[in-house]
Amino acid sequence: LLRLKEIVDLWPKWLQESVSDSEDINNKERIKCHQRENFVDASPAPTSKDTADKLGRGLTVPIVWFDEFAFIEYVDELYTAASPAVSQASINAKKAGAPTFKLISTTPNNIDSHSGKYTKEMINSAATFSELMYDMTPAEIEDYMEKESTNNFIHIEFSYRQLGRDDKWFKKQCRDLNNDMLKIKREILLEFTKASDTAVFTEAQLDVLEQYSKDTEHSIIVHGRPIHFLT
């Protein structure tokens, strides 16, 4: 909420006064505009499966933003519980002509963690963003989503070069991160890492080991017929 408050503080005074009201709410958990009945709530990350379920079921809102999704404990319980509540609120918002959406933003976590693995699966199930979508009609976007996504999400990712940074900037960031490959991959290159912060092997060592790995062919007999697969 602090980010939103800082944005509002940058508005011209006349604009701030046009939306301010003595009955507005402005604290650490909520910002509410009394005149328009609009509000933004900030909720802490769940600490157990029960709190994740309760928090998710309470999200009867048309717009929800899960920040640092890959680092939320019990993220699958939270998201599963929240989806029906958000869905119902979305129906009401559409009838009223109001915007509605679910947004997930995150830096990658290691894929051996539960939340990291769940997030990577969400990305793999999402449609890939294309700038061609800017020229699509709503119906064409819906058709594209139906074909390319199994979870109604679009995966949008930009490299540091696409954001106007150069290799000189990248090298400086690497030095600032003490050339820690785990941190560089996670924070700069947006890669889901193999190692965790407490792993025995470093990310660089795992990269070397991966170069020497190879697929092994196996086969099992099912109803008298061999089935081959690679691991």
Side-chain angles (χ1 to χ4, degrees):
L1 289 185
L2 180 60
R3 295 181 191 175
L4 182 58
K5 293 177 183 179
E6 289 174 344
I7 292 172
V8 173
D9 288 340
L10 293 174
W11 291 356
K13 187 176 181 180
W14 63 266
L15 182 57
Q16 294 183 37
E17 292 175 346
S18 70
V19 298
S20 64
D21 189 288
S22 60
E23 296 186 54
D24 288 351
I25 297 174
N26 189 333
N27 54 44
K28 293 182 178 180
E29 291 79 29
R30 167 174 282 203
I31 296 176
K32 181 176 181 180
C33 177
H34 175 73
Q35 292 182 24
R36 294 164 179 76
E37 287 296 317
N38 291 333
F39 66 90
V40 179
D41 283 342
S43 302
T47 57
S48 67
K49 289 186 177 181
D50 287 340
T51 57
D53 184 74
K54 291 178 181 177
L55 176 60
R57 293 179 186 278
L59 292 177
T60 310
V61 291
I63 296 174
V64 62
W65 176 12
F66 299 96
D67 191 30
E68 290 297 357
F69 191 81
F71 294 88
I72 299 176
E73 293 289 339
Y74 313 104
V75 66
D76 49 347
E77 284 86 357
L78 171 62
Y79 181 79
T80 302
S83 291
V86 176
S87 178
Q88 183 56 49
S90 297
I91 293 173
N92 297 334
K94 289 178 180 178
K95 289 180 180 178
T100 174
F101 58 84
K102 287 186 290 186
L103 173 67
I104 292 175
S105 60
T106 189
T107 44
N109 197 354
N110 72 82
I111 56 177
D112 288 335
S113 69
H114 181 73
S115 55
K117 180 181 178 182
Y118 186 81
T119 303
K120 190 65 169 68
E121 291 172 350
M122 290 278 289
I123 291 174
N124 292 341
S125 299
T128 301
F129 171 74
S130 168
E131 292 184 350
L132 295 175
M133 297 179 73
Y134 290 132
D135 296 322
M136 292 183 182
T137 65
E140 289 172 333
I141 291 177
E142 287 186 10
D143 183 61
Y144 176 74
M145 292 291 293
E146 182 69 25
K147 293 177 180 177
E148 301 296 329
S149 172
T150 60
N151 59 7
N152 293 324
F153 273 97
I154 301 174
H155 176 223
I156 304 175
E157 180 179 317
F158 295 106
S159 70
Y160 65 87
R161 290 191 180 92
Q162 288 174 295
L163 298 177
R165 310 293 186 177
D166 55 18
D167 288 340
K168 182 179 180 180
W169 175 89
F170 174 69
K171 290 177 181 179
K172 182 181 184 303
Q173 299 307 306
C174 291
R175 290 195 297 270
D176 288 345
L177 291 172
N178 202 30
N179 294 301
D180 185 328
M181 186 53 66
L182 178 65
K183 299 293 191 301
I184 292 169
K185 284 189 172 184
R186 176 186 296 171
E187 304 296 335
I188 309 299
L189 301 178
L190 301 180
E191 294 182 16
F192 280 77
T193 55
K194 310 175 192 70
S196 65
D197 293 330
T198 58
V200 176
F201 298 101
T202 66
E203 186 69 13
Q205 289 172 327
L206 290 173
D207 284 340
V208 173
L209 290 172
E210 187 177 43
Q211 294 176 12
Y212 294 98
S213 66
K214 63 178 182 179
D215 293 334
T216 302
E217 184 173 337
H218 301 271
S219 63
I220 57 175
I221 305 299
V222 179
H223 297 301
R225 299 179 61 183
I227 295 179
H228 303 283
F229 58 95
L230 296 176
T231 60

